[in-house]
Coordinates of all heavy atoms in Angstrom, one line a residue:
Q1 N 3.1 10.8 15.7 CA 1.9 10.0 15.4 C 2.1 9.3 14.1 O 2.7 9.8 13.1 CB 0.7 10.9 15.2 CG 0.2 11.5 16.6 CD -1.0 12.3 16.5 OE1 -1.1 13.2 15.6 NE2 -1.9 12.1 17.4
L2 N 1.7 8.0 14.0 CA 1.9 7.2 12.9 C 0.6 6.5 12.5 O -0.2 6.0 13.3 CB 3.0 6.0 13.3 CG 4.3 6.5 13.8 CD1 5.0 5.3 14.5 CD2 5.1 7.1 12.7
V3 N 0.4 6.4 11.1 CA -0.8 5.9 10.6 C -0.4 5.0 9.5 O 0.2 5.4 8.5 CB -1.8 6.9 10.1 CG1 -3.0 6.2 9.5 CG2 -2.2 7.9 11.2
E4 N -0.8 3.7 9.6 CA -0.5 2.7 8.5 C -1.7 2.6 7.6 O -2.8 2.8 8.0 CB -0.2 1.4 9.1 CG 0.9 1.3 10.1 CD 0.4 1.4 11.5 OE1 -0.6 1.9 11.8 OE2 1.2 0.9 12.4
S5 N -1.4 2.3 6.3 CA -2.5 2.1 5.4 C -2.0 1.1 4.3 O -0.7 0.8 4.2 CB -2.9 3.3 4.7 OG -1.9 4.0 4.0
G6 N -2.8 0.6 3.5 CA -2.5 -0.2 2.3 C -2.7 -1.7 2.5 O -2.5 -2.5 1.6
G7 N -3.1 -2.2 3.7 CA -3.3 -3.6 3.9 C -4.6 -4.0 3.2 O -5.4 -3.2 2.7
G8 N -4.8 -5.3 3.2 CA -5.9 -5.9 2.5 C -5.8 -7.4 2.3 O -4.9 -8.0 2.8
L9 N -6.7 -7.9 1.5 CA -6.7 -9.3 1.1 C -6.0 -9.5 -0.3 O -6.4 -8.8 -1.2 CB -8.1 -9.8 1.1 CG -8.3 -11.3 0.7 CD1 -7.7 -12.2 1.6 CD2 -9.8 -11.6 0.6
V10 N -5.1 -10.4 -0.3 CA -4.4 -10.7 -1.6 C -4.2 -12.2 -1.7 O -4.0 -12.9 -0.7 CB -3.1 -9.9 -1.7 CG1 -2.1 -10.3 -0.6 CG2 -2.4 -10.0 -3.0
Q11 N -4.1 -12.7 -2.9 CA -3.9 -14.1 -3.2 C -2.4 -14.3 -3.1 O -1.6 -13.5 -3.3 CB -4.4 -14.5 -4.5 CG -5.9 -14.5 -4.7 CD -6.4 -15.1 -6.0 OE1 -5.5 -15.2 -7.0 NE2 -7.7 -15.3 -6.1
A12 N -2.0 -15.6 -2.7 CA -0.6 -15.9 -2.7 C 0.1 -15.6 -4.0 O -0.5 -15.9 -5.1 CB -0.5 -17.4 -2.4
G13 N 1.3 -15.1 -3.9 CA 2.0 -14.7 -5.1 C 1.8 -13.2 -5.4 O 2.5 -12.7 -6.3
G14 N 0.8 -12.6 -4.9 CA 0.5 -11.2 -5.2 C 1.3 -10.2 -4.5 O 2.3 -10.6 -3.7
S15 N 1.0 -8.9 -4.6 CA 1.8 -7.8 -4.0 C 0.9 -6.8 -3.3 O -0.3 -6.7 -3.6 CB 2.6 -7.1 -5.1 OG 3.4 -7.9 -5.8
L16 N 1.5 -6.1 -2.3 CA 0.8 -5.1 -1.6 C 1.9 -4.0 -1.3 O 3.0 -4.3 -1.1 CB 0.2 -5.5 -0.3 CG -1.1 -6.3 -0.4 CD1 -1.5 -6.7 1.0 CD2 -2.3 -5.4 -0.9
R17 N 1.4 -2.8 -1.2 CA 2.3 -1.7 -0.8 C 1.7 -1.0 0.4 O 0.6 -0.4 0.3 CB 2.4 -0.6 -2.0 CG 3.5 0.4 -1.8 CD 3.5 1.4 -2.9 NE 4.5 2.4 -2.8 CZ 5.7 2.4 -3.4 NH1 6.1 1.3 -4.1 NH2 6.5 3.4 -3.3
L18 N 2.4 -1.1 1.5 CA 1.9 -0.5 2.7 C 2.6 0.8 2.9 O 3.7 1.1 2.4 CB 2.3 -1.4 4.0 CG 1.9 -2.8 3.9 CD1 2.2 -3.5 5.2 CD2 0.4 -2.9 3.7
S19 N 1.9 1.8 3.6 CA 2.5 3.1 3.8 C 2.4 3.4 5.3 O 1.4 3.1 5.9 CB 1.7 4.2 3.0 OG 2.0 4.0 1.6
C20 N 3.4 4.1 5.8 CA 3.4 4.6 7.1 C 3.6 6.2 7.1 O 4.6 6.6 6.6 CB 4.5 4.0 8.0 SG 4.7 4.7 9.6
A21 N 2.5 6.9 7.4 CA 2.5 8.3 7.5 C 2.8 8.8 8.8 O 2.1 8.5 9.8 CB 1.2 8.9 6.9
A22 N 3.9 9.7 9.0 CA 4.3 10.1 10.3 C 4.1 11.6 10.4 O 4.2 12.3 9.4 CB 5.8 9.8 10.5
S23 N 3.7 12.1 11.6 CA 3.6 13.5 11.8 C 4.3 13.8 13.2 O 4.2 13.0 14.1 CB 2.1 13.9 11.9 OG 1.4 13.3 12.9
G24 N 4.8 15.0 13.3 CA 5.6 15.4 14.5 C 6.8 16.2 14.1 O 7.0 16.5 12.9
R25 N 7.5 16.6 15.1 CA 8.7 17.4 14.9 C 10.0 16.5 14.8 O 10.0 15.5 15.4 CB 8.8 18.5 16.0 CG 7.6 19.3 16.1 CD 7.8 20.4 17.2 NE 8.7 21.4 16.7 CZ 9.0 22.5 17.5 NH1 8.5 22.7 18.7 NH2 9.9 23.4 17.0
F26 N 10.9 17.0 14.1 CA 12.2 16.4 14.0 C 12.2 15.0 13.5 O 12.9 14.1 14.0 CB 13.0 16.5 15.4 CG 13.0 17.8 15.9 CD1 12.3 18.2 17.0 CD2 13.8 18.8 15.3 CE1 12.4 19.5 17.6 CE2 13.9 20.1 15.9 CZ 13.2 20.4 17.0
L27 N 11.3 14.7 12.5 CA 11.1 13.4 12.0 C 12.4 12.9 11.4 O 12.6 11.7 11.3 CB 10.0 13.4 11.1 CG 8.6 13.6 11.7 CD1 7.5 13.5 10.6 CD2 8.3 12.5 12.7
S28 N 13.2 13.7 10.8 CA 14.4 13.3 10.1 C 15.4 12.6 11.1 O 16.3 12.0 10.6 CB 15.1 14.5 9.5 OG 15.6 15.4 10.4
T29 N 15.2 12.8 12.4 CA 16.1 12.1 13.4 C 15.7 10.7 13.7 O 16.4 10.1 14.5 CB 16.2 13.0 14.6 OG1 15.0 13.0 15.4 CG2 16.7 14.4 14.3
Y30 N 14.5 10.3 13.2 CA 14.0 9.0 13.6 C 14.3 7.9 12.6 O 14.5 8.1 11.5 CB 12.4 9.2 13.7 CG 12.0 9.8 15.0 CD1 11.9 11.2 15.1 CD2 11.5 9.1 16.1 CE1 11.5 11.9 16.2 CE2 11.1 9.8 17.3 CZ 11.1 11.1 17.3 OH 10.6 11.7 18.4
V31 N 14.3 6.7 13.2 CA 14.2 5.5 12.4 C 12.8 5.0 12.4 O 12.1 5.0 13.4 CB 15.1 4.4 13.0 CG1 14.9 3.1 12.3 CG2 16.6 4.8 12.9
I32 N 12.3 4.6 11.2 CA 11.0 4.1 11.1 C 11.1 2.6 10.8 O 11.8 2.1 9.9 CB 10.2 4.7 9.9 CG1 10.1 6.3 10.1 CG2 8.8 4.1 9.8 CD1 9.4 6.7 11.4
G33 N 10.4 1.8 11.6 CA 10.5 0.3 11.5 C 9.1 -0.2 11.2 O 8.1 0.3 11.5
W34 N 9.1 -1.4 10.5 CA 8.0 -2.2 10.2 C 8.0 -3.5 11.0 O 9.1 -4.2 10.9 CB 7.8 -2.5 8.7 CG 7.3 -1.3 7.9 CD1 8.0 -0.5 7.1 CD2 5.9 -0.9 7.8 NE1 7.2 0.4 6.5 CE2 5.9 0.1 6.9 CE3 4.7 -1.4 8.3 CZ2 4.7 0.8 6.5 CZ3 3.5 -0.8 7.9 CH2 3.6 0.3 7.1
F35 N 7.0 -3.8 11.7 CA 6.8 -5.1 12.4 C 5.5 -5.7 12.1 O 4.6 -5.1 11.6 CB 6.9 -4.8 14.0 CG 8.3 -4.4 14.4 CD1 8.7 -3.1 14.3 CD2 9.2 -5.3 15.0 CE1 9.9 -2.6 14.8 CE2 10.4 -4.8 15.4 CZ 10.8 -3.5 15.3
R36 N 5.5 -7.0 12.3 CA 4.2 -7.7 12.2 C 4.0 -8.7 13.3 O 4.9 -9.1 13.9 CB 4.2 -8.4 10.8 CG 5.1 -9.6 10.7 CD 5.1 -10.2 9.3 NE 5.8 -11.5 9.3 CZ 6.0 -12.2 8.2 NH1 5.6 -11.7 7.0 NH2 6.6 -13.3 8.2
Q37 N 2.7 -9.0 13.5 CA 2.3 -9.9 14.5 C 1.1 -10.7 14.1 O 0.0 -10.1 13.8 CB 2.0 -9.2 15.8 CG 1.9 -10.1 17.0 CD 1.9 -9.5 18.4 OE1 1.7 -8.2 18.4 NE2 2.2 -10.2 19.4
A38 N 1.2 -12.0 14.0 CA 0.1 -12.9 13.7 C -0.5 -13.5 15.0 O 0.2 -13.4 16.1 CB 0.7 -14.1 12.9
P39 N -1.7 -13.9 14.9 CA -2.4 -14.4 16.1 C -1.6 -15.5 16.8 O -1.1 -16.4 16.2 CB -3.7 -14.9 15.6 CG -4.0 -14.1 14.4 CD -2.7 -13.9 13.8
G40 N -1.3 -15.4 18.1 CA -0.6 -16.3 18.8 C 0.9 -16.3 18.7 O 1.6 -17.2 19.2
Q41 N 1.5 -15.4 17.9 CA 2.8 -15.3 17.6 C 3.4 -14.0 18.3 O 2.8 -13.1 18.6 CB 3.1 -15.2 16.1 CG 2.5 -16.4 15.4 CD 3.2 -17.7 15.8 OE1 4.4 -17.8 15.9 NE2 2.4 -18.8 16.0
E42 N 4.7 -14.0 18.4 CA 5.4 -12.9 18.9 C 5.6 -11.8 17.8 O 5.5 -12.1 16.6 CB 6.9 -13.3 19.4 CG 6.9 -14.2 20.6 CD 6.3 -13.5 21.8 OE1 6.6 -12.4 22.1 OE2 5.5 -14.2 22.5
R43 N 5.8 -10.6 18.2 CA 6.0 -9.5 17.2 C 7.4 -9.8 16.5 O 8.3 -10.1 17.1 CB 6.0 -8.2 17.9 CG 5.8 -6.9 17.0 CD 6.1 -5.7 17.8 NE 5.1 -5.6 19.0 CZ 4.0 -4.9 18.9 NH1 3.6 -4.4 17.8 NH2 3.3 -4.9 20.0
E44 N 7.3 -9.6 15.2 CA 8.4 -9.9 14.4 C 8.9 -8.7 13.6 O 8.1 -8.0 13.0 CB 8.0 -11.1 13.4 CG 9.2 -11.6 12.5 CD 8.7 -12.7 11.6 OE1 7.5 -12.7 11.2 OE2 9.5 -13.6 11.4
F45 N 10.2 -8.5 13.5 CA 10.8 -7.4 12.7 C 10.7 -7.7 11.3 O 11.1 -8.9 10.8 CB 12.3 -7.2 13.2 CG 13.0 -6.3 12.3 CD1 12.7 -4.8 12.3 CD2 14.0 -6.7 11.4 CE1 13.4 -4.0 11.5 CE2 14.6 -5.8 10.6 CZ 14.3 -4.4 10.6
V46 N 10.3 -6.7 10.4 CA 10.2 -6.8 9.1 C 11.2 -6.0 8.3 O 12.0 -6.5 7.5 CB 8.8 -6.5 8.6 CG1 8.7 -6.6 7.1 CG2 7.8 -7.4 9.2

């Protein structure tokens, strides 16, 4: 299970710190990826 947090509204030039909290077994064997998707756009690797 994965839960993202940290998003919000920021002005251009600013900063944000996103977090992905994972739960489950054998998490050390996984790769964690960040992707984004804007309206009308394809999912993009970050």
Side-chain angles (χ1 to χ4, degrees):
Q1 292 182 312
L2 304 165
V3 179
E4 304 95 335
S5 62
L9 175 64
V10 64
Q11 292 184 349
S15 300
L16 283 174
R17 188 181 183 95
L18 307 184
S19 293
C20 175
S23 61
R25 303 183 73 178
F26 307 110
L27 292 177
S28 64
T29 67
Y30 283 83
V31 173
I32 303 298
W34 282 100
F35 292 81
R36 70 185 189 185
Q37 189 164 23
Q41 302 296 316
E42 296 294 318
R43 197 186 305 265
E44 183 178 32
F45 172 71
V46 178

